[in-house]
Amino acid sequence: MTLSTVSDQSMFTPEALAALTVPGVAARWNAIQERLHPVLATCAARLGAEASVRFPRIWNLYEISYRSQRSINRGRGVRDPINEYYMVVDRPPRGAGVYVAVSGAERLILVALHVARRRKEDLARLWEESRAFWSPLVERLTDVRFAERERPSDVETHWLDRYLANRAASSLLAGFAYRWDDPQVLQPGFIERLIDDALTLLPLNEALMERAEARDPTGAAWLREQRAAYTAAEEPPVEVIIERIHARGFTLSERIIRAYHVALRTRLLVILPGISGTGKTRLTRLYADAVVGERFAPGQENERYLLVAVQPDWHSARDLLGYYNAITGKYHPTPFLRFLLRASADPSARYFVCLDEMNLARPEYYLAPILSAMETDDRLIDLGAPAAVVETVTGEVLSNPFRLPANVAITGTVNVDESAHALSDKLLDRANVIELTDVDLEGFRTAYPGAIDDTIWNVIVAVHSIVARAGQPFGYRVLNEIIRYIEQSQGVMTPQQALDLQIKQKILPKLRGDDTPRLRRALTDLLELLLGVPQSAWKRAAHIAAETIAEAPFPESAEKVRRMLERLDADGFTDFYG
């Protein structure tokens, strides 16, 4: 694509910019996609064409993505229309990127380098070692933003030095800004100005990524095709696996463990959705430990198990598998790819991977080559390298494409809340889904190593029953923390006071929503329990006297629930923070 082939109609016209002023969440998003997104898409196309000419050795490492959030979550059920729209140019290992953003709040068009906290140290070392080299570029930046309470008395201190010395400043945004009413914004050549600004910042971003790569521990030993210290043997029967899992004090029904056992033998991928704290991640680890059994000593790391914490900014398979660096001609593998290599070198044993909170990013994006390989007989994964063999940064040799080992079982844990993405049919069709929502209270009490007071336990069971009917049951993690809090409160407060605080601190914050019969019934039942007084005696929450609250068995929690019910009556919505 040449610059002349792109229509000049897609400019930052007043109509395009005004998309960020349209009222309403949905209406503004639709206006942005119709009027403003094509402008940035044109900018992206031209930027890619120019970057491939200026930086042919590194540009294939970079990706361009756009803002996907359609609203701003203000909390308490309030969502506002977005006030800026942007595209970002970045690459693994990420943490820094070049943004082209349009801000409706400030009426500005920005081209800036964004540096996150995790790359602040890399920027500090780069600035320390190459200050003279980067100073001409840094001095050109006209718009700099980072958290700074007040300017130092020494006005000669450079802004970058102030940012690096400021512990409170987590991220940095530095670049160029143009007002909407600037005459040059309407000129056909303005997009070229933005592209030039972005490509001016790109070498600094690349220098940060190269420094981040240099600090990434690759570990050549991980890639060597060597067998584990233990010898492969026939796996134990499911009864033995269940016994070993329960012996670790894990409260989970035998039915779930059997279903998980069969699912792992049926498909490469298993998905475990459920409420937080039900032991989804722990199940994956304890099952892998139970399969390995006696072949590793207590406290020893299970070399057949890998926990991968999925990150929200994962865009593609590069984040999961690694990538080929065209500058060095070498491949940068991730721990996940190194784990697959070890599994392929040990085909007689099973290996287990847990993708923890897999839907923080879109699984169908970063798992795309894995999902495709699962459906083919050869199970090949293209690593994106230009040759049939490629050397890694540690001197090992990888074959390309790489064959997905058949002895690896992948489990993804899923939390269903507003911070996560929904699972696509493409993913669900290739996996077994086992929901972990049931909480075995009596099983937990039996397995708990200490004694639990009957009165305290009966209240916990009653509270759990009420919030479960509202769709907000709490899991084993919360149960364990409540009991431990009460144990630690000895000598400080009574067990009943400690339980009162734990109900308020651990359970009530999750109760929120519109005025539905289910939520209203749950809050009413809770208030009756916490007050020790039936609703027939107080009718409405606003009518409860302060003396009644003071005399309640659980006054702290009772007052909070009373306020939540009162707000539900007044506003038709409630949450813990109102």
Side-chain angles (χ1 to χ4, degrees):
M1 179 186 296
T2 63
L3 299 185
S4 60
T5 62
V6 183
S7 172
D8 281 332
Q9 295 179 352
S10 297
M11 297 184 300
F12 291 94
T13 62
E15 182 184 18
L17 296 173
L20 280 166
T21 65
V22 173
V25 171
R28 182 172 298 182
W29 178 258
N30 292 336
I32 288 170
Q33 295 304 304
E34 180 182 350
R35 292 184 249 157
L36 187 56
H37 178 79
V39 181
L40 291 186
T42 297
C43 186
R46 297 189 180 188
L47 189 150
E50 183 66 19
S52 63
V53 174
R54 292 198 204 179
F55 308 108
R57 293 197 305 164
I58 67 170
W59 180 244
N60 65 329
L61 300 175
Y62 280 83
E63 301 169 337
I64 297 178
S65 56
Y66 300 87
R67 176 167 187 167
S68 59
Q69 291 177 302
R70 301 186 176 203
S71 62
I72 301 173
N73 186 359
R74 298 297 188 189
R76 304 181 183 179
V78 178
R79 294 184 180 274
D80 289 343
I82 59 174
N83 52 28
E84 68 172 3
Y85 187 68
Y86 56 76
M87 71 178 193
V88 58
V89 182
D90 66 348
R91 74 165 180 91
R94 309 197 196 282
V98 178
Y99 281 69
V100 178
V102 183
S103 170
E106 299 181 88
R107 299 297 197 272
L108 291 176
I109 300 172
L110 304 163
V111 182
L113 175 73
H114 177 262
V115 181
R117 177 185 289 275
R118 61 189 172 119
R119 296 292 170 237
K120 189 173 183 180
E121 181 181 347
D122 296 314
L123 180 60
R125 301 286 81 79
L126 190 68
W127 183 240
E128 177 183 351
E129 297 171 5
S130 311
R131 187 184 188 107
F133 180 81
W134 294 110
S135 283
L137 169 60
V138 170
E139 295 295 342
R140 287 181 54 193
L141 306 184
T142 56
D143 191 275
V144 177
R145 306 172 185 214
F146 61 91
E148 191 174 26
R149 294 181 180 177
E150 58 183 17
R151 288 287 297 270
S153 57
D154 182 6
V155 295
E156 299 299 325
T157 303
H158 196 283
W159 65 260
L160 185 49
D161 291 318
R162 298 201 311 272
Y163 164 70
L164 296 174
N166 187 343
R167 294 185 179 181
S170 58
S171 61
L172 168 70
L173 201 67
F176 310 93
Y178 303 92
R179 300 189 312 275
W180 285 9
D181 57 1
D182 190 328
Q184 65 178 315
V185 170
L186 295 176
Q187 299 301 315
F190 180 63
I191 285 184
E192 276 67 47
R193 175 67 178 269
L194 298 184
I195 292 171
D196 187 68
D197 289 343
L199 295 184
T200 298
L201 297 171
L202 194 66
L204 180 53
N205 186 83
E206 180 63 21
L208 285 174
M209 291 301 97
E210 290 177 353
R211 179 164 289 279
E213 289 171 348
R215 292 200 302 116
D216 180 33
T218 51
W222 283 90
L223 292 179
R224 298 197 180 103
E225 294 189 357
Q226 57 184 11
R227 294 192 179 268
Y230 47 78
T231 58
E234 184 177 349
E235 291 184 0
V238 66
E239 289 77 12
V240 174
I241 292 175
I242 293 172
E243 181 182 352
R244 289 174 177 173
I245 290 176
H246 285 165
R248 299 278 292 273
F250 186 48
T251 307
L252 196 65
S253 70
E254 181 178 320
R255 175 181 59 84
I256 292 293
I257 299 175
R258 288 182 180 273
Y260 184 58
H261 176 78
V262 175
L264 288 175
R265 290 175 171 269
T266 305
R267 294 286 291 178
L268 172 75
L269 181 61
V270 177
I271 297 175
L272 300 178
I275 62 173
S276 177
T278 50
K280 300 183 292 294
T281 305
R282 193 178 181 205
L283 171 61
T284 67
R285 174 59 192 265
L286 293 185
Y287 183 91
D289 290 352
V291 169
V292 175
E294 305 299 328
R295 288 187 289 277
F296 70 101
Q300 178 184 346
E301 191 71 20
N302 186 350
E303 295 180 346
R304 292 199 209 165
Y305 176 82
L306 177 69
L307 179 67
V308 179
V310 174
Q311 301 299 310
D313 62 348
W314 283 12
H315 301 316
S316 69
R318 293 182 178 185
D319 297 300
L320 184 64
L321 296 170
Y323 61 95
Y324 175 75
N325 190 326
I327 298 177
T328 62
K330 295 183 179 182
Y331 197 87
H332 293 249
T334 62
F336 177 77
L337 180 58
R338 295 195 291 263
F339 189 78
L340 295 185
L341 289 165
R342 296 184 62 231
S344 66
D346 191 12
S348 58
R350 276 209 299 168
Y351 284 69
F352 303 89
V353 176
C354 174
L355 300 177
D356 197 26
E357 299 193 65
M358 68 180 303
N359 60 331
L360 283 180
R362 294 192 178 276
E364 60 270 23
Y365 290 176
Y366 66 83
L367 275 178
I370 304 292
L371 298 176
S372 298
M374 289 169 55
E375 302 302 311
T376 60
D377 293 333
D378 52 19
R379 301 168 67 86
L380 295 178
I381 299 174
D382 183 8
L383 297 178
V389 293
V390 58
E391 184 181 0
T392 70
V393 291
T394 51
E396 306 292 335
V397 176
L398 294 173
S399 59
N400 182 49
F402 173 75
R403 192 180 305 277
L404 179 65
N407 59 326
V408 174
I410 302 175
T411 302
T413 67
V414 171
N415 284 329
V416 184
D417 57 34
E418 63 275 6
S419 68
H421 296 279
L423 302 180
S424 67
D425 290 343
K426 175 182 178 180
L427 183 70
L428 295 174
D429 287 345
R430 290 164 171 79
N432 281 300
V433 180
I434 303 175
E435 189 177 26
L436 273 67
T437 55
D438 296 331
V439 179
D440 184 359
L441 297 178
E442 289 306 318
F444 171 86
R445 187 179 186 185
T446 301
Y448 191 77
I452 303 176
D453 179 80
D454 287 339
T455 302
I456 293 295
W457 180 252
N458 290 337
V459 174
I460 292 175
V461 171
V463 171
H464 185 273
S465 176
I466 292 171
V467 298
R469 290 197 299 270
Q472 289 292 345
F474 48 89
Y476 301 113
R477 182 190 299 118
V478 172
L479 273 171
N480 186 67
E481 291 178 1
I482 290 175
I483 300 300
R484 290 184 61 241
Y485 185 94
I486 294 172
E487 290 175 344
Q488 293 298 318
S489 71
Q490 293 183 11
V492 180
M493 63 184 73
T494 67
Q496 187 162 310
Q497 289 173 327
L499 178 57
D500 184 16
L501 292 176
Q502 280 296 275
I503 293 172
K504 181 179 180 180
Q505 295 166 2
K506 303 289 293 184
I507 298 172
L508 298 185
K510 293 185 178 181
L511 295 178
R512 58 185 177 271
D514 295 325
D515 189 356
T516 62
R518 186 167 72 164
L519 178 59
R520 179 173 288 277
R521 183 71 262 169
L523 291 174
T524 302
D525 290 347
L526 268 179
L527 190 50
E528 286 185 332
L529 175 67
L530 299 170
L531 283 175
V533 179
Q535 185 187 11
S536 58
W538 44 267
K539 305 299 183 182
R540 294 174 64 86
H543 298 161
I544 299 176
E547 294 79 10
T548 304
I549 295 291
E551 296 170 0
F554 304 97
E556 291 277 348
S557 300
E559 173 59 18
K560 174 56 71 172
V561 175
R562 187 200 67 77
R563 291 170 57 189
M564 292 173 69
L565 259 176
E566 187 177 8
R567 184 183 178 201
L568 194 67
D569 292 334
D571 300 339
F573 175 89
T574 194
D575 64 4
F576 180 82
Y577 306 99

